Amino acid sequence: MPTSPNLPDSADQRPEAQTPPPQDPRQPPAYPTGPAQPPAPPAYPDPGPLAPPPAYPRPPAQHVTPPAQPAIPPRPATPAPLHAHHISTDQRRVHLKAHQRHADATALGSLLIHLPHFLSSLVVVGLVSLLVLGGLAFVGILAWLLSGLLVFHRPTEKTLARRLLGLRHPTPEEFSRLAPVWQEVTARAGVDAQNYELWIEENDTDLNAVAAAGHIVGVTTFALHRLPNGELAAVLAHELGHHVGGHAWASLLGYWYALPARLAYRVIRFLAVVTLRVAAVFSSLGFLVIALFLGIFAFATITTLYGLPLLILAAPYALAAVGRRAELRADQHAAALGFAPMLASVLHQMHEADQAARHQAALAARAAGTRLPEESAMAKLLATHPDHHTRLHHLQPWLQPRHPR
């Protein structure tokens, strides 16, 4: 029986794999590409509505005070303009002079004028020592001569300033006001400020200052509180000029050694006046006899002492002239330190104060039906300070502008 070719079973029928067409070797190979869109993420089951968070108990409400707001500082006020005569008192390097003080012509002149007083006092002290100590009279004379050194003794100076001049120590506030100004003055002068002490005079009406003894500078409360620091410096520089020139210690030393002669003169004059008055009560003849006796005694004294009493009578006028010269020298000292405009302003104020006081006195005299007496020539000769016009005139060389050369 002829055989037929085996037909494929229907269950095994599969399409034949299609072979790709041959690729051109000149083309690059084709790489497989991914899907056009990324696959969607898988869907998770819906958990349902979220449960609310658990409620915690709230603390009871408390009243909390808000913190205090810091105070806003006030806006700084615009500083007041400085006075025209204000000076800087900032600390700076100080160059001290080798010689802190000396004795100028006015100081030496004052000592020379006091020489007759000194010799007369020596005679008085010698006679008293001879009567009291006998053969040891030289001890009394030597002690009196050495007593002049007390002028430079600090405790003695303080006692004189407190008892005779009415000065006191400054308060801390007053010292804080004075000290910087004094430092500036002494720095310009090349003087050690610690060599001197600052004192205060309770006087609210007089613009004044004083150079006392050897180391004390006093200033009134009026000048301390009313003057700007530049004008106060000018006043202190003037007093420093008295110390630097030796005017203060020379005047005090001369006064101390002249004291015995002055006391003896006052005692003799008192006894003479009493004797003449008693003699005049009884009879005119007795008065003439006593007057003649006193005249003979005075003549003998003048002859024995080689005319020293006559010089003593003329000494007050000479001392006043020297004192006026010392004031001008102290003004020049302040002007040379750069305080001429300030000192001139102070002198103008003093002149105006004097004019106002004189005007008030004239009004009072007119209300009383009298006239104000004019200043006599003798009073001018005995004045220890020159008038303000004279002092301003001597300040002119420092007040005029200097043209550059």
Side-chain angles (χ1 to χ4, degrees), residues 76-302:
T78 304
L82 297 177
H83 193 275
H85 291 157
H86 178 82
I87 61 172
S88 174
T89 56
D90 296 337
Q91 294 184 359
R92 53 191 175 89
R93 186 183 298 274
V94 178
H95 300 278
L96 300 181
K97 294 181 178 179
H99 301 284
Q100 294 287 290
R101 64 173 71 193
H102 61 279
D104 60 15
T106 55
L108 297 177
S110 176
L111 293 175
L112 184 61
I113 295 172
H114 277 105
L115 182 60
H117 294 84
F118 170 76
L119 296 177
S120 300
S121 296
L122 183 61
V123 172
V124 172
V125 172
L127 292 176
V128 174
S129 300
L130 186 61
L131 293 175
V132 176
L133 301 176
L136 298 177
F138 70 93
V139 176
I141 296 175
L142 183 61
W144 174 70
L145 292 175
L146 294 178
S147 66
L149 297 178
L150 294 175
V151 171
F152 306 100
H153 186 232
R154 291 295 183 97
T156 304
E157 289 184 24
K158 294 179 180 180
T159 302
L160 294 176
R162 186 178 295 108
R163 302 297 181 184
L164 298 182
L165 301 177
L167 302 179
R168 62 168 176 82
H169 288 290
T171 63
E173 293 77 12
E174 292 170 339
F175 185 79
S176 64
R177 158 80 166 144
L178 273 176
V181 180
W182 178 245
Q183 289 285 348
E184 176 63 21
V185 171
T186 54
R188 295 191 186 191
V191 174
D192 188 1
Q194 302 300 323
N195 288 340
Y196 303 94
E197 296 185 16
L198 299 173
W199 288 58
I200 300 296
E201 178 186 350
E202 286 289 348
N203 191 334
D204 294 330
T205 60
D206 191 13
L207 197 166
N208 196 15
V210 60
H215 307 90
I216 291 178
V217 176
V219 62
T220 61
T221 52
F222 180 91
L224 177 64
H225 299 301
R226 302 292 183 88
L227 295 181
N229 68 344
E231 295 179 3
L232 180 60
V235 173
L236 295 176
H238 173 90
E239 302 307 329
L240 179 62
H242 283 308
H243 278 300
V244 170
H247 308 158
W249 67 261
S251 298
L252 183 58
L253 192 64
Y255 175 82
W256 178 260
Y257 281 127
L259 195 57
R262 293 177 185 272
L263 293 177
Y265 171 73
R266 291 182 179 180
V267 170
I268 294 174
R269 186 181 64 176
F270 174 76
L271 294 177
V273 171
V274 171
T275 303
L276 289 175
R277 288 183 178 179
V278 171
V281 171
F282 290 97
S283 65
S284 57
L285 180 59
F287 176 81
L288 293 176
V289 171
I290 297 298
L292 180 61
F293 173 76
L294 292 176
I296 294 173
F297 176 79
F299 178 78
T301 303
I302 293 174

